[in-house]
Each structure stands twice: as structure tokens, then as C-alpha cells.
Amino acid sequence: MLLAPVEYARPSSLAEAVRLLGAYDGARPLAGGQTLTNVMKARAAAPDVLVDLNGLAELRAVSRTDDGALELGAMATLTELTRSNEVAEVRPIVAQVASQIADVQVRNRGTIGGNICSNDPTNHFPPLMAALGATMTVRGADGERTVGADDFFLGVYMTAVGPGELLTKISIPAAGGARDGFASVTIGSDGTCIVNAAATVQEGQARVALGCVAAVPQVLTSAADEAAVRQSVQAANIDPPSDVHASAEYRGHLAELVAARAVAEASA
Ligand SMILES: Cc1cc2nc3c(=O)[nH]c(=O)nc-3n(C[C@H](O)[C@H](O)[C@H](O)COP(=O)(O)OP(=O)(O)OC[C@H]3O[C@@H](n4cnc5c(N)ncnc54)[C@H](O)[C@@H]3O)c2cc1C
């Protein structure tokens, strides 16, 4: 289906992008377009103005801060994450997860910012950001603010990025002895996740974020052994959705399984 008519702007600075987003009620940032253009074609979204972020080199940078944290520009593509030395040195799980998403075309265009801003509950990155304790930097007309992952994901397709605002970067703390894991059950090879889990383990303690079982990642903590992780998932009383791919009960069973696998990978 063809796109409905839409205005298009390609700002050359971050300040101009923020000004444009604030100037039009129906303005929406355009990143890789892998989600947005599809929902526009399906008439599930109808922005009046697309503010294309692809000319903003400063949103693409991937770097390591003096304290060893990882800073990912919102416009870094999934492919760029898989090839980044900084990612490989600080939190290689980010590259590992990026490499599992969809296909080469989607990874070449799709960005980490677009992935977490769309907050599709089946996406790979929201639970990973929640498990790693990432912090998002959001910029609007009134300046910058930072939002922790626990407060960033608000609901299906909803985040703390408000109208007129932009996600500019994602900060992920240095591992500091922690190790990370990710596990999923997907629809076919490299397909959409039915359930996924990201885990970080340090000194025998695991922080696990479950995806696909609720509108936002479900975070739980436990000792890093399989029985404790499974018990912790059971105690969380998750109420997963039921669909053509898995009943709620089966998704609950898979949630235990992928949580245990993610923790085992992080502990190996
Ligand atoms: C066939 C296919 C299969 C896929 N499978 C998976 C999968 O299995 N797992 C997975 O995780 N993802 C999957 N995706 C989604 C993919 O990862 C997308 O690239 C991603 O979700 C959106 O990134 P984007 O850069 O294309 O964003 P866009 O589509 O451009 O934008 C998505 C949304 O985020 C907003 N946005 C984008 N950037 C910003 C920003 N910096 N600040 C504020 N708002 C912003 C946009 O306005 C829009 O609402 C799939 C996509 C396709 C087409």
C-alpha cells in the first residue's frame, strides 16, 4: 500500500530537529523507517511531518566514556553495533543481540533508538536495556533529561519520550565484573520473539528482564542458579498474552526456560 501524503524535513542539526518536532503537533522522528514506514503503510500511524534524523552524524556515535561506560547514539544502526570495537570491549551482548534481529536489510537500516522508542513488546532491545540498567538521554525544547530503563518503557509502543522530544543517546554502565546473557524462542530462525530474556549476573546474583510477556520488560532478581531463577519467574506472577504462536500458559513456561538460559549463558 502507498503512503498517505506526508511532509518531510531533513534537519542538519539536533537543535533544528527538536525545533521542527516542537513546531508541528503531528511531527514524528524518522530513524531507519523499518517500523514507522510499515505502520504508516498499514495506516496504523499517520504523522503530518516526518523529521528525518539520518543527517545528524552526532546521533550516530558509539563511544566509551572515561569511566568505561558505553554510549550509543540513538541513530547507531544494528549493523554498526555488531561491528563496533567499543561495544565488543564493554558489553559484547549488545552486538550479539543486534546480530540476531531479523535480516541484513533490517539491521542495516534499523537503529537502536528506533528499536527502543517503538517499544514493541516483542523487540529484542527493551529487555536488554532493562537488564543492563541503561540510561536514556532525551532532548526537547526545554533541554536534556535522563531516564533510567525502569522508567523509560511505559506501555505497548509507548515510552518516556514525549511529543516534541528526541532520544539522543543510550548509556550502558561498564560491566565491572558482571557478565551478560540473552535467550529467546522465536518464530522460525531469526524471527520475531515469542518470549525473550536478558540477564546480567554478578557475584552469584542475577538481574533478569523478560520480554514479550507484558507491555514492558518485566525485571526480576534472584540467585544465579536455575532453580532460583525459575522460582523467581513463578513468583513474579506474570500474565502473558495468548496468541496464535503461544498460549498464555505456554508463554509462561517459556519465560522460565529463557530466563534460566540467559542466566546460564551469563554465568558460563
Ligand atoms: C521484517 C522486520 C522484522 C523485524 N524483526 C524484529 C525482531 O525480531 N526484533 C526486534 O527487536 N526488532 C525487529 N524489527 C524492528 C527493527 O529492529 C526496527 O529497525 C526497529 O524497531 C525500529 O528502528 P528504526 O530505526 O527503523 O525506527 P523507525 O521505524 O524509523 O522508528 C520507530 C519509532 O521510533 C520513533 N523514533 C525513532 N528514533 C527515535 C528517536 N531517536 N527519538 C524518538 N523517537 C524515535 C519513530 O518516530 C517511530 O515511532 C523488525 C523489523 C522488520 C521490518
PDB file of all heavy atoms in Angstrom, residues 148-168:
ATOM      1  N   GLY A 148      16.059   6.425  33.438  1.00  0.00           N
ATOM      2  CA  GLY A 148      16.519   5.045  33.601  1.00  0.00           C
ATOM      3  C   GLY A 148      15.585   4.086  32.874  1.00  0.00           C
ATOM      4  O   GLY A 148      14.397   4.382  32.675  1.00  0.00           O
ATOM      5  N   ALA A 149      16.128   2.919  32.506  1.00  0.00           N
ATOM      6  CA  ALA A 149      15.331   1.951  31.736  1.00  0.00           C
ATOM      7  C   ALA A 149      14.049   1.564  32.466  1.00  0.00           C
ATOM      8  O   ALA A 149      13.014   1.346  31.838  1.00  0.00           O
ATOM      9  CB  ALA A 149      16.170   0.704  31.437  1.00  0.00           C
ATOM     10  N   ASP A 150      14.093   1.519  33.803  1.00  0.00           N
ATOM     11  CA  ASP A 150      12.896   1.099  34.548  1.00  0.00           C
ATOM     12  C   ASP A 150      11.743   2.084  34.361  1.00  0.00           C
ATOM     13  O   ASP A 150      10.573   1.715  34.539  1.00  0.00           O
ATOM     14  CB  ASP A 150      13.209   0.958  36.044  1.00  0.00           C
ATOM     15  CG  ASP A 150      14.087  -0.263  36.319  1.00  0.00           C
ATOM     16  OD1 ASP A 150      14.205  -1.117  35.420  1.00  0.00           O
ATOM     17  OD2 ASP A 150      14.660  -0.343  37.425  1.00  0.00           O
ATOM     18  N   ASP A 151      12.067   3.341  34.050  1.00  0.00           N
ATOM     19  CA  ASP A 151      11.018   4.363  33.875  1.00  0.00           C
ATOM     20  C   ASP A 151      10.810   4.727  32.407  1.00  0.00           C
ATOM     21  O   ASP A 151       9.952   5.558  32.100  1.00  0.00           O
ATOM     22  CB  ASP A 151      11.398   5.646  34.641  1.00  0.00           C
ATOM     23  CG  ASP A 151      11.519   5.390  36.123  1.00  0.00           C
ATOM     24  OD1 ASP A 151      10.655   4.675  36.660  1.00  0.00           O
ATOM     25  OD2 ASP A 151      12.489   5.874  36.732  1.00  0.00           O
ATOM     26  N   PHE A 152      11.625   4.168  31.528  1.00  0.00           N
ATOM     27  CA  PHE A 152      11.572   4.577  30.115  1.00  0.00           C
ATOM     28  C   PHE A 152      10.428   3.902  29.358  1.00  0.00           C
ATOM     29  O   PHE A 152       9.736   4.511  28.564  1.00  0.00           O
ATOM     30  CB  PHE A 152      12.908   4.261  29.436  1.00  0.00           C
ATOM     31  CG  PHE A 152      12.993   4.741  28.009  1.00  0.00           C
ATOM     32  CD1 PHE A 152      13.297   6.077  27.734  1.00  0.00           C
ATOM     33  CD2 PHE A 152      12.773   3.882  26.950  1.00  0.00           C
ATOM     34  CE1 PHE A 152      13.373   6.538  26.424  1.00  0.00           C
ATOM     35  CE2 PHE A 152      12.855   4.329  25.635  1.00  0.00           C
ATOM     36  CZ  PHE A 152      13.152   5.662  25.374  1.00  0.00           C
ATOM     37  N   PHE A 153      10.253   2.596  29.611  1.00  0.00           N
ATOM     38  CA  PHE A 153       9.247   1.835  28.858  1.00  0.00           C
ATOM     39  C   PHE A 153       7.907   1.939  29.596  1.00  0.00           C
ATOM     40  O   PHE A 153       7.779   1.468  30.726  1.00  0.00           O
ATOM     41  CB  PHE A 153       9.690   0.375  28.714  1.00  0.00           C
ATOM     42  CG  PHE A 153      11.026   0.262  28.021  1.00  0.00           C
ATOM     43  CD1 PHE A 153      12.180  -0.043  28.734  1.00  0.00           C
ATOM     44  CD2 PHE A 153      11.133   0.508  26.661  1.00  0.00           C
ATOM     45  CE1 PHE A 153      13.417  -0.123  28.102  1.00  0.00           C
ATOM     46  CE2 PHE A 153      12.361   0.442  26.019  1.00  0.00           C
ATOM     47  CZ  PHE A 153      13.504   0.122  26.741  1.00  0.00           C
ATOM     48  N   LEU A 154       6.927   2.570  28.953  1.00  0.00           N
ATOM     49  CA  LEU A 154       5.680   2.876  29.653  1.00  0.00           C
ATOM     50  C   LEU A 154       4.521   1.970  29.255  1.00  0.00           C
ATOM     51  O   LEU A 154       3.580   1.787  30.030  1.00  0.00           O
ATOM     52  CB  LEU A 154       5.283   4.338  29.394  1.00  0.00           C
ATOM     53  CG  LEU A 154       6.288   5.399  29.852  1.00  0.00           C
ATOM     54  CD1 LEU A 154       5.737   6.803  29.573  1.00  0.00           C
ATOM     55  CD2 LEU A 154       6.606   5.245  31.342  1.00  0.00           C
ATOM     56  N   GLY A 155       4.530   1.449  28.039  1.00  0.00           N
ATOM     57  CA  GLY A 155       3.426   0.615  27.578  1.00  0.00           C
ATOM     58  C   GLY A 155       3.697   0.175  26.156  1.00  0.00           C
ATOM     59  O   GLY A 155       4.741   0.517  25.591  1.00  0.00           O
ATOM     60  N   VAL A 156       2.764  -0.566  25.576  1.00  0.00           N
ATOM     61  CA  VAL A 156       2.957  -1.037  24.195  1.00  0.00           C
ATOM     62  C   VAL A 156       3.111   0.188  23.292  1.00  0.00           C
ATOM     63  O   VAL A 156       2.230   1.054  23.261  1.00  0.00           O
ATOM     64  CB  VAL A 156       1.752  -1.891  23.748  1.00  0.00           C
ATOM     65  CG1 VAL A 156       1.923  -2.330  22.306  1.00  0.00           C
ATOM     66  CG2 VAL A 156       1.591  -3.093  24.660  1.00  0.00           C
ATOM     67  N   TYR A 157       4.238   0.282  22.596  1.00  0.00           N
ATOM     68  CA  TYR A 157       4.562   1.394  21.688  1.00  0.00           C
ATOM     69  C   TYR A 157       4.643   2.743  22.416  1.00  0.00           C
ATOM     70  O   TYR A 157       4.543   3.788  21.780  1.00  0.00           O
ATOM     71  CB  TYR A 157       3.556   1.507  20.528  1.00  0.00           C
ATOM     72  CG  TYR A 157       3.321   0.210  19.778  1.00  0.00           C
ATOM     73  CD1 TYR A 157       2.035  -0.209  19.456  1.00  0.00           C
ATOM     74  CD2 TYR A 157       4.375  -0.600  19.400  1.00  0.00           C
ATOM     75  CE1 TYR A 157       1.817  -1.415  18.786  1.00  0.00           C
ATOM     76  CE2 TYR A 157       4.164  -1.812  18.737  1.00  0.00           C
ATOM     77  CZ  TYR A 157       2.898  -2.205  18.440  1.00  0.00           C
ATOM     78  OH  TYR A 157       2.685  -3.396  17.788  1.00  0.00           O
ATOM     79  N   MET A 158       4.798   2.720  23.736  1.00  0.00           N
ATOM     80  CA  MET A 158       4.860   3.986  24.489  1.00  0.00           C
ATOM     81  C   MET A 158       6.119   4.027  25.347  1.00  0.00           C
ATOM     82  O   MET A 158       6.425   3.066  26.056  1.00  0.00           O
ATOM     83  CB  MET A 158       3.654   4.116  25.417  1.00  0.00           C
ATOM     84  CG  MET A 158       2.368   4.472  24.695  1.00  0.00           C
ATOM     85  SD  MET A 158       0.977   4.294  25.812  1.00  0.00           S
ATOM     86  CE  MET A 158       1.476   5.397  27.122  1.00  0.00           C
ATOM     87  N   THR A 159       6.807   5.171  25.286  1.00  0.00           N
ATOM     88  CA  THR A 159       7.992   5.360  26.128  1.00  0.00           C
ATOM     89  C   THR A 159       7.931   6.742  26.767  1.00  0.00           C
ATOM     90  O   THR A 159       7.003   7.519  26.509  1.00  0.00           O
ATOM     91  CB  THR A 159       9.290   5.271  25.296  1.00  0.00           C
ATOM     92  OG1 THR A 159       9.360   6.424  24.454  1.00  0.00           O
ATOM     93  CG2 THR A 159       9.369   4.005  24.472  1.00  0.00           C
ATOM     94  N   ALA A 160       8.976   7.034  27.542  1.00  0.00           N
ATOM     95  CA  ALA A 160       9.041   8.335  28.215  1.00  0.00           C
ATOM     96  C   ALA A 160       9.398   9.471  27.264  1.00  0.00           C
ATOM     97  O   ALA A 160       9.431  10.623  27.684  1.00  0.00           O
ATOM     98  CB  ALA A 160      10.068   8.260  29.350  1.00  0.00           C
ATOM     99  N   VAL A 161       9.673   9.167  26.002  1.00  0.00           N
ATOM    100  CA  VAL A 161       9.949  10.231  25.029  1.00  0.00           C
ATOM    101  C   VAL A 161       8.611  10.852  24.636  1.00  0.00           C
ATOM    102  O   VAL A 161       7.765  10.183  24.037  1.00  0.00           O
ATOM    103  CB  VAL A 161      10.661   9.681  23.769  1.00  0.00           C
ATOM    104  CG1 VAL A 161      10.974  10.813  22.798  1.00  0.00           C
ATOM    105  CG2 VAL A 161      11.942   8.945  24.156  1.00  0.00           C
ATOM    106  N   GLY A 162       8.418  12.109  25.012  1.00  0.00           N
ATOM    107  CA  GLY A 162       7.132  12.761  24.764  1.00  0.00           C
ATOM    108  C   GLY A 162       7.087  13.465  23.416  1.00  0.00           C
ATOM    109  O   GLY A 162       8.093  13.519  22.692  1.00  0.00           O
ATOM    110  N   PRO A 163       5.927  14.044  23.081  1.00  0.00           N
ATOM    111  CA  PRO A 163       5.810  14.802  21.830  1.00  0.00           C
ATOM    112  C   PRO A 163       6.833  15.943  21.821  1.00  0.00           C
ATOM    113  O   PRO A 163       7.066  16.585  22.843  1.00  0.00           O
ATOM    114  CB  PRO A 163       4.378  15.368  21.901  1.00  0.00           C
ATOM    115  CG  PRO A 163       3.659  14.512  22.878  1.00  0.00           C
ATOM    116  CD  PRO A 163       4.680  14.015  23.854  1.00  0.00           C
ATOM    117  N   GLY A 164       7.447  16.161  20.691  1.00  0.00           N
ATOM    118  CA  GLY A 164       8.435  17.240  20.580  1.00  0.00           C
ATOM    119  C   GLY A 164       9.799  16.863  21.126  1.00  0.00           C
ATOM    120  O   GLY A 164      10.708  17.694  21.153  1.00  0.00           O
ATOM    121  N   GLU A 165       9.946  15.618  21.573  1.00  0.00           N
ATOM    122  CA  GLU A 165      11.239  15.195  22.144  1.00  0.00           C
ATOM    123  C   GLU A 165      11.912  14.140  21.269  1.00  0.00           C
ATOM    124  O   GLU A 165      11.279  13.475  20.450  1.00  0.00           O
ATOM    125  CB  GLU A 165      11.027  14.617  23.545  1.00  0.00           C
ATOM    126  CG  GLU A 165      10.615  15.633  24.578  1.00  0.00           C
ATOM    127  CD  GLU A 165      10.587  15.044  25.981  1.00  0.00           C
ATOM    128  OE1 GLU A 165      10.207  13.861  26.142  1.00  0.00           O
ATOM    129  OE2 GLU A 165      10.931  15.773  26.917  1.00  0.00           O
ATOM    130  N   LEU A 166      13.208  13.994  21.542  1.00  0.00           N
ATOM    131  CA  LEU A 166      14.026  13.014  20.820  1.00  0.00           C
ATOM    132  C   LEU A 166      14.851  12.213  21.806  1.00  0.00           C
ATOM    133  O   LEU A 166      15.377  12.779  22.774  1.00  0.00           O
ATOM    134  CB  LEU A 166      15.067  13.758  19.976  1.00  0.00           C
ATOM    135  CG  LEU A 166      14.791  14.109  18.551  1.00  0.00           C
ATOM    136  CD1 LEU A 166      16.013  14.788  17.984  1.00  0.00           C
ATOM    137  CD2 LEU A 166      14.497  12.841  17.774  1.00  0.00           C
ATOM    138  N   LEU A 167      14.997  10.939  21.562  1.00  0.00           N
ATOM    139  CA  LEU A 167      16.024  10.158  22.272  1.00  0.00           C
ATOM    140  C   LEU A 167      17.343  10.447  21.556  1.00  0.00           C
ATOM    141  O   LEU A 167      17.417  10.309  20.329  1.00  0.00           O
ATOM    142  CB  LEU A 167      15.695   8.673  22.189  1.00  0.00           C
ATOM    143  CG  LEU A 167      16.779   7.729  22.708  1.00  0.00           C
ATOM    144  CD1 LEU A 167      16.909   7.829  24.227  1.00  0.00           C
ATOM    145  CD2 LEU A 167      16.477   6.283  22.311  1.00  0.00           C
ATOM    146  N   THR A 168      18.354  10.884  22.303  1.00  0.00           N
ATOM    147  CA  THR A 168      19.631  11.185  21.635  1.00  0.00           C
ATOM    148  C   THR A 168      20.673  10.091  21.872  1.00  0.00           C
ATOM    149  O   THR A 168      21.409   9.735  20.972  1.00  0.00           O
ATOM    150  CB  THR A 168      20.218  12.535  22.090  1.00  0.00           C
ATOM    151  OG1 THR A 168      20.353  12.509  23.514  1.00  0.00           O
ATOM    152  CG2 THR A 168      19.328  13.684  21.648  1.00  0.00           C
TER     153      THR A 168
END
